[in-house]
Amino acid sequence: MRTIYDAAKRVDGRKLAATVGFFDGVHAGHRSLIAQLRQVAAERGLASAVFTFPVHPRRVLQADYRPQLLDAFDEKLTRIGETGVDYCAVLDFTPALAQLTAREFIERLAAEWGVSTLVVGYDHRFGHNRAEGFEEYVAHGRTVGMEVVRGVPYLLEDGTAVSSSRIRALLTKCQVEEAARMLTVPYRLCGHVVGGQRIGRTMGFPTANLSVDEPLKVLPGDGVYAVRAWLRGTAYRGMLSIGNRPTIGDRPTAVEVHLLGFSGDVYGEALEVEFIRHLRSNRRFDSLDALREQLERDRETVAGLPIGGIGEVRGC
């Protein structure tokens, strides 16, 4: 996949079949739409292109809006690239772009980017105030010689609809396995290890305190999780806690990871975690000894889980 930020840099000025959206999480529904796009492009002899935005459109229009993201921008580009699409065109979403009507936006796609076929998500709307729908898009496309195709809606095997908002809700409820089913991969956080209070070390459970690189990423709900953690390019089993550590006195929410089979100083290093299973909720224990006993049980549970890829080598 080639990522393009400027319409003038399209390779050979190829005509495009395209789809447009924010594509947060690049989940199963998005992947289905992009697969349909690629099929349409192949049938018409066109290159396939996904048009997306580096910043959530609502944040541009509302400065104090803080979207809860499933992907940082670089993660999103990586996931889009995994779909096999030819191009990802990154549009700078500006107040001026937000004011374009659907017709004006379609005209711009045709004139500046050479889009000759537009594949629209089944319930997706665009243009100023999202005032128009698919039938109007088809009519506007005809005026510039653009074919507008409606994508087929995607449902899981049990009939469940997939959406970014539904995945966010699942994560906040600690339902990371169901979220992974919709994302097609485990949900992940990437960040760097920062200094902590080292209380876990005194209990025999040294932890890496993770500062997430993208501050707008969704944090799963408070609790203890089994994770696959990538450190220095190697995968480890891990037990991860999100919360305010009630047994040692309520403190600001922290993300702490204990890596099974690893020891050493990791401060300042990159760390990626993939959420495999929610183990239990946080609670206040009567003593540090009671907490240690629970952590030992947690570690035994994580050690026995069928977490694939442990020991593999990869970059974060």
Side-chain angles (χ1 to χ4, degrees):
M1 180 187 80
R2 177 171 180 176
T3 303
I4 309 172
Y5 293 83
D6 185 344
K9 294 182 179 179
R10 280 189 299 122
V11 177
D12 299 327
R14 297 174 68 186
K15 290 290 185 179
L16 303 178
T19 190
V20 181
F22 189 60
F23 297 106
D24 189 27
V26 196
H27 55 59
H30 295 144
R31 290 172 182 266
S32 174
L33 179 64
I34 295 171
Q36 294 174 53
L37 165 70
R38 293 182 63 211
Q39 181 177 348
V40 166
E43 291 171 350
R44 290 156 178 75
L46 304 171
S48 57
V50 170
F51 283 70
T52 193
F53 311 101
V55 178
H56 195 287
R58 187 173 165 188
R59 198 174 187 205
V60 174
L61 301 174
Q62 186 178 336
D64 60 351
Y65 177 66
R66 292 181 60 81
Q68 293 293 290
L69 301 177
L70 299 174
D71 278 333
F73 180 58
D74 59 342
E75 292 175 308
K76 178 165 69 173
L77 290 182
T78 297
R79 295 195 190 282
I80 291 174
E82 292 168 352
T83 68
V85 72
D86 294 315
Y87 301 113
C88 181
V90 180
L91 300 180
D92 186 14
F93 193 89
T94 63
L97 183 63
Q99 292 300 312
L100 294 180
T101 64
R103 176 169 182 162
E104 290 168 334
F105 184 62
I106 285 173
E107 289 173 346
R108 180 170 292 189
L109 288 178
E112 296 181 9
W113 290 91
V115 175
S116 62
T117 300
L118 180 65
V119 180
V120 180
Y122 184 78
D123 57 355
H124 182 63
R125 288 176 176 263
F126 58 86
H128 182 59
N129 291 333
R130 299 184 176 184
E132 297 180 298
F134 180 74
E135 297 305 323
E136 288 83 4
Y137 304 156
V138 171
H140 299 327
R142 288 197 191 102
T143 66
V144 294
M146 180 190 295
E147 178 187 14
V148 179
V149 178
R150 172 174 270 171
V152 178
Y154 176 82
L155 299 175
L156 296 176
E157 295 85 353
D158 59 4
T160 302
V162 177
S163 70
S164 299
S165 59
R166 177 164 288 185
I167 295 170
R168 293 185 198 103
L170 289 170
L171 291 171
T172 59
K173 295 175 182 176
C174 306
Q175 297 177 24
V176 294
E177 291 177 273
E178 181 65 14
R181 188 165 74 107
M182 294 190 177
L183 286 167
T184 74
V185 292
Y187 184 65
R188 68 178 178 177
L189 298 174
C190 268
H192 286 76
V193 180
V194 297
Q197 296 178 300
R198 299 184 178 234
I199 294 175
R201 185 177 299 275
T202 66
M203 300 171 60
F205 289 87
T207 60
N209 198 326
L210 182 66
S211 175
V212 180
D213 290 341
E214 172 51 76
L216 297 177
K217 284 267 289 191
V218 175
L219 279 186
D222 287 3
V224 178
Y225 297 85
V227 299
R228 177 169 46 227
W230 296 88
L231 175 69
R232 300 173 184 171
T234 300
Y236 295 87
R237 294 176 186 271
M239 41 195 283
L240 177 148
S241 170
I242 299 176
N244 59 2
R245 297 160 287 181
T247 302
I248 60 173
D250 289 345
R251 300 171 186 274
T253 296
V255 180
E256 298 176 293
V257 190
H258 172 69
L259 303 179
L260 277 65
F262 177 86
S263 62
D265 187 354
V266 295
Y267 292 119
E269 297 200 42
L271 180 67
E272 175 186 336
V273 293
E274 298 174 330
F275 289 80
I276 305 300
R277 182 182 298 182
H278 177 246
L279 299 179
R280 61 178 174 86
S281 300
N282 285 336
R283 66 181 180 90
R284 188 186 301 274
F285 290 86
D286 294 334
S287 67
L288 289 180
D289 284 340
L291 172 59
R292 182 186 299 108
E293 290 174 1
Q294 179 60 60
L295 292 175
E296 289 172 352
R297 290 192 291 271
D298 294 338
R299 182 161 56 188
E300 289 177 4
T301 299
V302 173
L305 289 177
I307 301 176
I310 301 305
E312 285 186 7
V313 178
R314 194 187 79 179
C316 181

